[in-house]
Each structure stands twice: as C-alpha cells, then as structure tokens.
Amino acid sequence: MQGIYFINDRICLNGLSKEESVSLQEQSVKKFINDQNIQVIKFNPYQLNDYYTIPHALLYDLKKEKIHVDCFLYYSSQVMEDFIYSYPAKWLILKSFFKDIITVETQNDLNIQEVV
C-alpha cells in the first residue's frame, strides 16, 4: 500500500509548542505507517521531508502527476480543519485522489480500545 502524509507545522496541539506538535504528529504517523507497512511516496525529488506541510502543494503535485494513491494520512482532524473549512471544494478534490483518508489519532484510539 502506498501513502502520502501531512504534518501541520503551524499548529499547537494539546498545549504543546509548535515544535513539540510537529514531533507528536510525525512520531504518531510514522509509527502507524510502519505498523501498517505503508510505503511513503514523494512526487517532488527536491522536497525536503517525506511529508507535505502545504495541502495546496500536495493538490498541485497530485494534479500534475495525474495519479491516485492508496491513502492520505494525517494526525487528527484538528490539523486539517483550517484547510477543510477554508477550501471545502479543494478538500473534496484532494480527497478524490485517495482510496482511503486515515486520521491516525482515531486509528490509535481504536487500537487501544481493542486491546482493553
């Protein structure tokens, strides 16, 4: 399975600093990716990170490559909230390029509940 993930580097989660929030997102998403054997793909060889931080850039690359990907991962609905509410049409277009949209925080909560 191939996937692309998003990290919001402009948000403070749960009272954490921006740096701590980025670290939390990255660690959680990477753990999920490793646990599920998801292969992360990058379209731009000059991209510094394996993840996207700008949804508009991701949408641009998807349109340019004309490719559909198995999954789009992000930490929580909170990290995508601003984009979703500011650009609802673009969010629908972005989602259309993926078979599954995965909110990692929710998936981790489900795994914890299953163990209990």
Side-chain angles (χ1 to χ4, degrees):
M1 180 184 304
Q2 293 183 325
I4 294 174
Y5 68 107
F6 173 79
I7 300 293
N8 188 332
D9 61 356
R10 288 161 274 155
I11 194 169
C12 295
L13 297 169
N14 307 325
L16 299 172
S17 69
K18 286 185 182 181
E19 294 80 16
E20 293 168 329
S21 294
V22 167
S23 180
L24 170 66
Q25 292 175 70
E26 193 170 1
Q27 288 173 6
S28 297
V29 173
K30 279 186 175 181
K31 181 183 182 326
F32 185 84
I33 286 169
N34 288 333
D35 291 349
Q36 300 299 317
N37 295 317
I38 298 171
Q39 177 189 3
V40 175
I41 57 173
K42 287 177 26 175
F43 297 118
N44 184 347
Y46 301 108
Q47 188 173 317
L48 296 176
N49 299 304
D50 286 341
Y51 55 84
Y52 280 84
T53 58
I54 303 170
H56 297 285
L58 171 57
L59 183 57
Y60 175 83
D61 286 350
L62 289 166
K63 285 180 174 179
K64 187 174 95 178
E65 296 295 324
K66 297 178 184 169
I67 188 169
H68 284 75
V69 181
D70 294 320
C71 62
F72 178 55
L73 304 106
Y74 53 89
Y75 177 70
S76 70
S77 58
Q78 188 179 2
V79 301
M80 289 301 297
E81 182 172 81
D82 188 43
F83 180 77
I84 292 169
Y85 290 117
S86 298
Y87 306 98
K90 286 189 177 189
W91 172 240
L92 291 174
I93 295 167
L94 180 65
K95 287 189 342 180
S96 74
F97 283 95
F98 298 95
K99 180 179 172 187
D100 293 311
I101 305 296
I102 301 171
T103 305
V104 173
E105 181 184 46
T106 305
Q107 295 299 316
N108 287 338
D109 289 346
L110 290 174
N111 290 338
I112 290 168
Q113 291 173 0
E114 289 173 4
V115 172
V116 175

